Structure formats: structure tokens, C-alpha cells
Amino acid sequence: MQPRMLLHLNASNINEFHLLLEEKYDPYIIGQLISLVSNKKIKVISLLSHNECSISCYPIFKCQSLEKLELAMGHSIIQFPSFVCLSSLTALYLVAIRSPMKITCYSSNQSKELTLKFPVLRDYISCDCIWLDVKRVTIDAPLLEKVIIERQWDYSSNVSHAEIEIRASYVTNYLYRSYVSSETTLLDAAHVAEASISLSDDSKVNMSGQELKIFVRKLFNINNLKGLILQNLAPMEHYLADISAFGMLSNLCISYFVTIENLLCLLLKSPCLETLVLKYPIYSAKRPPKFAIVPECFLSTLKVVRFAKFTGGQQEFSFAKFVMEKSQVLESISFSCYKLRGAKMKKVKKKIFSVKRSCNIEFSDYLDT
């Protein structure tokens, strides 16, 4: 059985090459095929495999006409040269299928370091890719705008210790969704406007407290953010005090459970915060919670607070009361009430309206969006 190919022709030149491998093939034959199309002035290369397939991509990284590269492989090992420079590449997608895709460097690379230079790259997506036996990856992409890094598979048998540095001054959107990992990502992006960070804490990777501290510090090394969405702070709750302040952050959304203590830690690091959205109930590690310090944003910038899933619990009420009493410029606070009806709703409203405040208060039914 031969590989199934889809070729788009433009006059005498091939513009796009899509190769879908549905069975196991001789890597040498696949390599020859890749070498053949890479010698053309091709703009798009897409390699997809559902099965184990070890491929040398060396010819691809010599193709200077390439504008989009998609490597979507399962159970596979992809070899990268130690230095890559593609002058026309605008989109790079490294996406695993069914199981993690392993990326390694050629055996002759003793330093185990990779340098990837993409002068006009705009989009970078990495999904379930393991940098295997690689110490450092430097992605030099000065025009990069969107970065997505996701990991969903259990990496316990293939631990990556690589440090990935993304040098990109104009990234505006950054999404990081992963397990806590021995692999660290450092995004050197002064203009990142929006970021979404989500961590899973059921990783089997054994890390020391110092390693976790370094991981969290590098993960949040994006100081000029204006909008931040956070999900699941539990894996990093003991290390939030060590992260840098968010000097430009104006919008913060917590989309999963968070303790009042962790929330206050983030508020203290967000002096310019204007809008706070809490999509799930908050709780306290201590009873009653302590509000010893008033965040700077309460005094000068915080205007809107929204409880998107308010249950009416005492600890949630304590935080809402703290916000209403201490915020000097608060304009509105809203409560989307979860499972609060009839007498319970009346009781909650009475407590909220009894708090001394100078802002508008809104109540609505919870909508699962």
C-alpha cells in the first residue's frame, strides 16, 4: 500500500504537499518523497500520521519558499537539525495525534541545543510535543503574534527537561494549557496583551519545590499583560508570591476554583486592575479569611467586579464585603447566583445590600456558559 497524497498544482509548480500516512511505511521511502517535494518551490507542507513513524525533516528545513509547515504525528520521533532558518515561514504547527510526538536533534548535535529562526513567523502552535533529549530550544521569531502551547497526555515515561525560549517582541495572544512539567517556557514578549494559563496538577512528574518555583516564575514572566485568564491555581499556589508584578494588567478572569488567599496575592501584584471576573466560587484556606492588606488597585483603578457563580457562602460574602467596603472607585459589582432561589436568595440579597457601599449592585440567575 502506497502513502495517500494530495497535491495541489499551480502551473508547473507544486504549491502544497499533504501527506497522510495511515499505515507503517519504510522511513527511507518517506524521506526520499519529502526530499523530492522540498526541492520544489513549495509553500505548504503538511505531514500527518496516525501510527509510529520516524522521519528526518532535514530537507524541509532547507526549503526557503515554505510559508506553512504542519507536522501532526503520533507515536513518532521527528529529528530537527541544530540550526534552522526559514525566511518565508509564517505558520508552524507541531501537533501530536493520539499520543505525544517526540522531537529530537540529530545525534551529531553534542550540545543538544536547537536554534529556530523564523523572521516572518506569525503563528506558533505546539500540542503534546516532547523535546526529547534536548536541553534548550530557542525560537527566534520577531514578528510572532500568536503562541499556543498545550499538553494533555501523561508525560511520566518521556520527561522533557528542555528550556524553551521564545524570542518574540510582538506576541499579542498567548495560551498555555499544560501539566506542571520539568520543561519550562520563557516567553520574551514585551507586548503580550492577552494570555490564558491553565495547569493540571495530576502530573506524575516528580519535581522539587525549587524546580516548581522556577517553573512558575518563568511561566508568568509576561509582565506587560493587559488581560489574563487563569484556570486551576492549585499546582502553583505556594509560589505565586515569587512571580513578578503585572504592572499593566487591567482585566483578570479566574475561571476555576481559587482560594481567597491566592486571589489576594494576585490582586496585590495587579496595581492597575480595572475588571475582576470570578467564574467559580472562591473559598478560604483559613476560617475566617484575613484581609490584612488592601490591594493598590482597590484605591485607584478597580471599577468592575463580577461573581459569575456566586453560591452565597460565608467566605464568598466576606470577600464581596471586603471589595465593596475598601474599593474607592468601584462602579459596579454583580452576582450571578448559583442554586439560590426564594428565601435563600432574599437572605443573600439582604446581606449584600446591608454592606456600606457606593457602587451599583446587580443580581441575576446563573447561566452555564
Side-chain angles (χ1 to χ4, degrees):
M1 181 177 179
Q2 294 299 316
R4 194 174 85 189
M5 290 186 297
L6 175 62
L7 298 179
H8 299 281
L9 301 179
N10 180 9
S12 59
N13 295 325
I14 300 174
N15 276 340
E16 301 188 13
F17 174 71
H18 301 265
L19 177 60
L20 172 61
L21 304 176
E22 295 180 319
E23 303 290 341
K24 289 186 178 181
Y25 300 91
D26 185 339
Y28 176 78
I29 296 176
I30 303 304
Q32 290 295 103
L33 186 58
I34 292 172
S35 180
L36 177 64
V37 299
S38 297
N39 287 327
K40 307 291 183 180
K41 291 184 178 180
I42 201 162
K43 295 183 178 181
V44 177
I45 292 180
S46 176
L47 305 179
L48 293 86
S49 174
H50 295 161
N51 299 284
E52 183 176 355
C53 184
S54 297
I55 296 178
S56 171
C57 292
Y58 190 84
I60 294 176
F61 295 119
K62 296 295 183 182
C63 184
Q64 292 302 313
S65 60
L66 195 61
E67 297 177 3
K68 178 180 177 181
L69 174 60
E70 179 182 18
L71 301 176
M73 319 293 287
H75 308 277
S76 302
I77 297 178
I78 308 296
Q79 287 188 326
F80 274 39
S82 58
F83 179 82
V84 173
C85 182
L86 292 176
S87 58
S88 301
L89 194 71
T90 60
L92 176 60
Y93 304 145
L94 305 174
V95 182
I97 297 179
R98 295 180 180 174
S99 69
M101 179 172 71
K102 306 174 188 68
I103 301 177
T104 187
C105 47
Y106 286 100
S107 58
S108 59
N109 183 357
Q110 299 298 323
S111 67
K112 304 297 182 183
E113 295 185 359
L114 301 178
T115 300
L116 313 178
K117 295 179 69 69
F118 306 121
V120 296
L121 191 71
R122 297 298 198 279
D123 292 354
Y124 172 70
I125 297 176
S126 172
C127 183
D128 286 310
C129 293
I130 298 173
W131 299 93
L132 193 63
D133 295 325
V134 175
K135 292 182 180 179
R136 184 177 179 85
V137 182
T138 301
I139 301 175
D140 192 348
L143 301 183
L144 190 61
E145 297 172 354
K146 180 171 70 175
V147 175
I148 296 177
I149 298 175
E150 294 187 275
R151 299 183 184 91
Q152 302 175 29
W153 296 92
D154 178 14
Y155 287 6
S156 57
S157 60
N158 294 290
V159 178
S160 171
H161 296 280
E163 180 175 86
I164 304 166
E165 181 181 0
I166 302 176
R167 298 176 180 174
S169 300
Y170 295 99
V171 173
T172 55
N173 290 282
Y174 176 50
L175 185 149
Y176 185 94
R177 184 179 294 121
S178 175
Y179 290 95
V180 174
S181 171
S182 297
E183 181 180 287
T184 58
T185 300
L186 181 61
L187 181 63
D188 178 21
H191 300 283
V192 178
E194 303 289 335
S196 176
I197 296 176
S198 174
L199 287 180
S200 298
D201 59 356
D202 54 349
S203 172
K204 297 178 182 178
V205 176
N206 186 20
M207 297 175 66
S208 67
Q210 183 63 26
E211 288 174 324
L212 281 169
K213 182 184 291 188
I214 293 172
F215 172 84
V216 172
R217 187 185 300 156
K218 289 184 177 180
L219 181 62
F220 283 95
N221 189 35
I222 37 179
N223 302 338
N224 293 326
L225 278 174
K226 294 183 179 180
L228 177 61
I229 299 173
L230 290 175
Q231 181 171 337
N232 193 13
L233 293 174
M236 54 182 130
E237 61 183 351
H238 300 298
Y239 307 100
L240 291 175
D242 296 316
I243 66 176
S244 301
F246 301 112
M248 303 291 290
L249 190 66
S250 59
N251 294 278
L252 175 62
C253 175
I254 309 292
S255 64
Y256 204 66
F257 293 101
V258 62
T259 65
I260 290 174
E261 290 74 20
N262 285 335
L263 178 56
L264 284 174
C265 182
L266 290 169
L267 292 175
L268 289 169
K269 292 181 177 292
S270 307
C272 298
L273 193 67
E274 298 176 6
T275 300
L276 172 65
V277 178
L278 302 169
K279 288 196 170 183
Y280 278 79
I282 57 175
Y283 62 99
S284 176
K286 301 176 182 178
R287 292 179 179 271
K290 294 183 178 181
F291 303 104
I293 304 175
V294 177
E296 184 179 342
C297 60
F298 279 33
L299 306 178
S300 57
T301 59
L302 187 64
K303 297 179 180 179
V304 177
V305 175
R306 179 174 159 231
F307 291 81
K309 194 174 184 180
F310 188 71
T311 62
Q314 181 58 43
Q315 294 179 341
E316 284 182 295
F317 172 74
S318 295
F319 181 74
K321 183 174 182 289
F322 174 63
V323 171
M324 288 187 287
E325 289 182 340
K326 301 300 182 180
S327 297
Q328 300 297 309
V329 295
L330 189 66
E331 296 177 355
S332 69
I333 184 168
S334 61
F335 302 89
S336 182
C337 298
Y338 182 67
K339 294 184 178 180
L340 291 176
R341 301 290 185 273
K344 288 184 177 180
M345 176 67 89
K346 290 181 180 179
K347 184 178 179 180
V348 167
K349 284 187 176 181
K350 184 178 180 180
K351 286 181 65 176
I352 293 295
F353 281 110
S354 69
V355 178
K356 183 180 179 181
R357 81 284 177 191
S358 59
C359 62
N360 293 325
I361 300 177
E362 298 178 4
F363 281 90
S364 62
D365 292 333
Y366 169 74
L367 298 176
D368 190 4
T369 57

